[in-house]
């Protein structure tokens, strides 16, 4: 099963008694803020959940898996996620936070 923005909005509608339009707007604004913050290179810390960090990867040699040809993989930025202790414990034991 996957969780979508619509699923999050639907939960807000049920639990917070918000309109569908407002719930979807809040959900989109939340993710837009995460994206905007990561674009600046800042770290995002969500208590009890985890941290999103932008890391710089240097250029390195690689190989095209289809042709076997050596290629240079360009330098780039990637977003990594490190789960927090409560999330890690919940996922390992199958419990909900």
């Amino acid at each position: 099963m996957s969780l979508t923005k619509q699923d999050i909005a639907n939960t807000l509608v049920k639990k917070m008694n918000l309109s569908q339009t407002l719930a979807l707007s809040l959900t989109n604004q939340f993710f837009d803020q995460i994206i905007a913050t990561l674009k600046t290179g800042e770290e995002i810390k969500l208590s009890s959940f985890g941290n999103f960090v932008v890391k710089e990867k240097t250029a390195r040699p690689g190989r095209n898996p289809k042709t076997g040809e050596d290629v240079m993989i360009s330098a780039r930025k990637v977003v990594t996620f490190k789960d927090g202790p409560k999330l890690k414990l919940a996922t390992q034991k199958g419990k909900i936070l």
Side-chain angles (χ1 to χ4, degrees):
M1 183 177 115
S2 61
L3 180 68
T4 65
K5 287 183 185 181
Q6 188 65 53
D7 294 333
I8 295 169
N10 290 341
T11 300
L12 287 173
V13 168
K14 290 176 190 170
K15 293 195 175 198
M16 303 297 291
N17 199 27
L18 300 175
S19 71
Q20 185 69 35
T21 305
L22 179 58
L24 194 53
S25 176
L26 287 171
T27 303
N28 285 326
Q29 287 176 33
F30 175 76
F31 287 106
D32 290 345
Q33 185 62 50
I34 288 176
I35 292 167
T37 302
L38 290 171
K39 278 184 180 180
T40 67
E42 289 182 67
E43 200 173 299
I44 296 176
K45 295 181 180 190
L46 299 174
S47 180
S48 300
F49 189 72
N51 300 332
F52 293 93
V53 179
V54 177
K55 292 190 176 184
E56 303 255 352
K57 288 194 148 194
T58 58
R60 63 189 190 281
R63 187 177 311 268
N64 182 330
K66 283 187 177 180
T67 64
E69 177 186 354
D70 289 337
V71 294
M72 189 58 125
I73 300 171
S74 61
R76 63 190 186 281
K77 293 180 182 180
V78 295
V79 176
T80 61
F81 177 76
K82 173 81 168 116
D83 53 344
K86 287 184 180 179
L87 178 61
K88 186 181 288 188
L89 182 63
T91 56
Q92 288 174 350
K93 294 194 175 189
K95 295 180 182 177
I96 296 175
L97 295 175

